[in-house]
Amino acid sequence: MSGKNVTEVVPADAEGIAKAVRILALGGIVAVPTETVYGLAARADKAEAVAKIYAAKGRPDFNPLIVHVRDVDQAKRFGEFDGASEDVAGGEWPGPLTLVVPVADNAPIARAVTAGLPSIALRVPNHAVMRAVLEKCDFPLAAPSANRSGFISPTSAAHVKASLDGRIDLILDGGATQAGLESTILAIRADGTWQVLRPGPVSEAYLAETYFGGRSASGAELNAKLEAPGQLASHYAPGKPVRLNAIEPRADEFMIGFGAVSGDCMLSEHSLEEAAARLYDCLHQSAASAKPRIAVAPIPNDGVGAAINDRLSRAAAD
Ligand code: AMP
Ligand code: MG
């Protein structure tokens, strides 16, 4: 199992999914495609299984994990929902939105999953493969991105293999992921206040408008760092200096282009959604290139652009 040098990659067909479910039930760790990025899944109710995620990723253990469930009913066994969180869950699930809510009393969850916090992060993913796996598991799955901690998130089975080969039990290959960026994380608190802890495919402006009567987030007095301790400044690192808002590459730079600014890897000529879906692939290419530095074109901050800029600023932080 996790000690082997080579990790098997299998197609995400019925046979592959059945194999993944068997490994997960026994407490193993499996990379599974979701609509955001590939996740590294383990059963969230067993401490030994969850510990394997931290070991394989080299993830700091103060960094809690998102728990993936098959539907709202299953989510309610683990988190306390109120009117606001029910509305958001009802409207956005399945989808790329994670809800942080108070953890339910006696929730059958390994302590390491919440890192001892009084809250739990829950999501119903919208990807046929991850959903098929969850349908067949009678336990929820903790699943952070399937990469070594601090490095670029994987949007293909090949990315997972390059990062975690020999450290995990199986990779389910379901092709390239759709959204390409990690889920938006939204905290809703018992006092009715809310806050986006991590920008993502579902924008803050849309959430404010749709669920909070246009009220803006009211978390200013709260310490988002404490609430979402995993949001480290340096993250998604390609291992080379990254220069943002570049209009033209210098001679030693691999250029990531957008819009009218062309590049060695093009995010998109006009679509921020396409740019989000391609971001990590371009970052992987830039990391693998012979050029020692990376430059990235300006990205507008509208909609999912805010999430792209969040990830880019972390990739550029040292
Ligand atoms: P990921 O690395 O995509 O698995 O996202 C995990 C992030 O979700 C963590 O770094 C936290 O910021 C956030 N998170 C997970 N669990 C919790 C929790 N119980 N309370 C607050 N934030 C959480
Ligand atoms: Mg990650």
Side-chain angles (χ1 to χ4, degrees):
M1 305 266 291
S2 349
K4 275 192 302 195
N5 291 324
V6 177
T7 299
E8 191 186 2
V9 182
V10 298
D13 54 14
E15 199 182 316
I17 288 168
K19 181 166 189 170
V21 170
R22 279 197 304 276
I23 292 173
L24 289 166
L26 291 171
I29 50 176
V30 178
V32 184
T34 81
E35 80 276 36
T36 59
V37 302
Y38 273 69
L40 179 58
R43 55 187 303 168
D45 60 342
K46 291 272 187 279
E48 318 83 76
V50 173
K52 290 181 189 168
I53 293 181
Y54 284 92
K57 282 181 63 84
R59 184 175 172 110
D61 60 12
F62 56 81
N63 192 345
L65 303 172
I66 295 172
V67 176
H68 295 70
V69 289
R70 71 177 85 91
D71 55 27
V72 181
D73 281 347
Q74 193 186 15
K76 286 182 178 165
R77 297 183 48 212
F78 304 101
E80 303 266 7
F81 285 73
D82 62 8
S85 43
E86 283 232 40
D87 283 354
V88 177
E92 300 305 315
W93 287 352
L97 180 92
T98 295
L99 272 173
V100 171
V101 295
V103 66
D105 288 338
N106 304 317
I109 286 286
R111 268 190 76 78
V113 169
T114 54
L117 294 167
S119 54
I120 184 165
L122 291 159
R123 180 165 99 88
V124 177
N126 188 16
H127 187 288
V129 174
M130 185 55 148
R131 301 203 73 189
V133 171
L134 284 165
E135 281 301 326
K136 293 188 173 61
C137 292
D138 54 6
F139 41 79
L141 293 173
S145 55
N147 55 277
R148 299 292 286 265
S149 187
F151 292 94
I152 307 164
S153 296
T155 53
S156 71
H159 293 160
V160 179
K161 178 106 172 150
S163 193
L164 293 174
D165 199 16
R167 305 177 68 86
I168 65 178
D169 297 313
L170 186 72
I171 299 170
L172 272 184
D173 186 352
T177 61
Q178 292 290 306
L181 283 186
E182 298 81 358
S183 60
T184 302
I185 301 180
L186 170 66
I188 299 185
R189 311 189 186 89
D191 64 0
T193 59
W194 65 282
Q195 190 174 14
V196 170
L197 302 179
R198 174 173 74 188
V202 182
S203 78
E204 178 166 340
Y206 162 84
L207 290 170
E209 189 56 43
T210 312
Y211 299 106
F212 302 101
R215 275 189 296 128
S216 59
S218 43
E221 77 286 2
L222 290 142
N223 188 337
K225 272 204 180 112
L226 264 183
E227 270 194 298
Q231 304 305 305
L232 305 175
S234 170
H235 215 115
Y236 312 104
K240 300 176 179 178
V242 178
R243 184 167 68 92
L244 303 179
N245 296 311
I247 302 299
E248 247 178 45
R250 297 172 184 151
D252 61 350
E253 287 177 334
F254 180 99
M255 182 77 200
I256 297 180
F258 177 81
V261 179
S262 57
D264 301 299
C265 185
M266 199 60 192
L267 291 172
S268 175
E269 273 169 23
H270 38 250
S271 151
L272 286 169
E273 281 69 31
E274 184 183 25
R278 293 191 36 72
L279 176 66
Y280 291 134
D281 193 43
C282 281
L283 283 173
H284 279 281
Q285 287 184 37
S286 66
S289 121
K291 301 252 174 81
R293 292 167 187 280
I294 301 164
V296 189
I299 310 292
N301 220 39
D302 319 317
V304 73
I308 297 174
N309 284 321
D310 169 73
R311 304 306 189 274
L312 282 172
S313 66
R314 293 171 200 279
D318 41 34

